Amino acid sequence: MNVDHAGCDRIHLDMIDGHVFKNLSFGPAMFKALRPFTKKPFDVHLMATPADSWIEPLKDAGCDRVLIHLTLGDDVARVIQSIHARAMSVGLVLTPQNEASAVLPYLDQIDVINVMTVDPGFGGQMFLHTMMPKVTRVRELIGSRPVDLSVDGGLTPETAKLAIRAGANCIVAGTSIFKADKKNYDAAIKALRDAASFAVQKLPETV
């Protein structure tokens, strides 16, 4: 996997079943096929229902962390417990429609909060600048807890600076890397790191 050698920290995988959002992507079988090609952790943004029925297949496929939505009709606490029981990390996803305060009941049970800066379901969308106050608020709610704050959607070197300044410490980027000029993934990832480092003089994690 070229992006692995280019220096990313994680591989972020969107799993969409066509019901949650009107799109269809790959699933555990594809993740299992990819697993031998990289030792980088697999993050799965799970957009499939019922969420709890997918946890075991994702574990079997070699995934390391599962990010779930708060408003898909699942018992969130039960799904978190199911993920932890299989020795995987857990993340919560905040869509543009979710309030920052929605994470409060789960802050001591999770490892990452992923704030979407686009409407989930499709790549290549424009970054929603209006989400930056939410990022800042989530950072305040996290406080001293060992919970990462990720921003996902429309990330470029320019918008990465805004996300990091707002409080994020992890950048999820797709289009700006995979559609880089001449497929120069190394340069695309470096540009994101440099931009975020300029924002806070600290290298963030990239996935």
Side-chain angles (χ1 to χ4, degrees):
M1 297 175 70
N2 292 337
V3 72
D4 181 338
H5 300 303
C8 70
D9 296 292
R10 294 174 175 269
I11 307 295
H12 185 88
L13 303 160
D14 286 344
M15 179 175 162
I16 313 173
D17 67 358
H19 299 289
V20 175
F21 299 104
K22 297 303 180 183
N23 196 1
L24 188 65
S25 69
F26 32 67
M30 178 65 78
F31 305 156
K32 190 170 185 177
L34 291 173
R35 185 70 277 184
F37 294 95
T38 177
K39 294 183 179 180
K40 298 288 175 66
F42 278 3
D43 277 11
V44 178
H45 179 177
L46 183 59
M47 293 172 269
T49 56
D52 55 1
S53 69
W54 290 106
I55 306 308
E56 187 67 28
L58 290 172
K59 175 63 177 180
D60 290 343
C63 299
D64 302 279
R65 185 161 71 183
V66 181
L67 282 65
I68 59 174
H69 284 243
L70 289 162
T71 53
L72 298 185
D74 295 289
D75 182 334
V76 174
R78 187 184 73 242
V79 177
I80 290 174
Q81 184 179 22
S82 177
I83 296 169
H84 278 313
R86 290 165 174 81
M88 293 187 290
S89 300
V90 183
L92 292 181
V93 177
L94 292 178
T95 71
Q97 290 73 41
N98 297 140
E99 297 292 334
S101 59
V103 303
L104 279 170
Y106 313 104
L107 281 173
D108 295 315
Q109 306 169 47
I110 59 175
D111 306 283
V112 62
I113 297 169
N114 188 40
V115 177
M116 298 296 299
T117 42
V118 298
D119 288 313
F122 295 89
Q125 299 181 61
M126 296 296 292
F127 180 88
L128 296 175
H129 291 73
T130 54
M131 294 298 105
M132 292 303 93
K134 182 190 291 187
V135 174
T136 299
R137 179 56 181 152
V138 171
R139 172 52 65 195
E140 293 171 350
L141 294 175
I142 290 171
S144 61
R145 296 177 179 87
V147 177
D148 287 326
L149 176 50
S150 171
V151 171
D152 179 3
L155 271 297
T156 65
E158 292 72 28
T159 56
K161 292 177 185 177
L162 301 177
I164 296 300
R165 286 171 179 160
N169 69 306
C170 181
I171 295 167
V172 179
T175 300
S176 65
I177 293 174
F178 289 102
K179 290 192 176 181
D181 184 44
K182 297 181 180 179
K183 302 297 182 183
N184 192 344
Y185 303 145
D186 303 69
I189 290 174
K190 184 178 185 301
L192 286 167
R193 287 184 183 278
D194 288 349
S197 178
F198 177 80
V200 294
Q201 297 301 305
K202 177 182 178 182
L203 291 176
E205 186 180 82
T206 60
V207 299

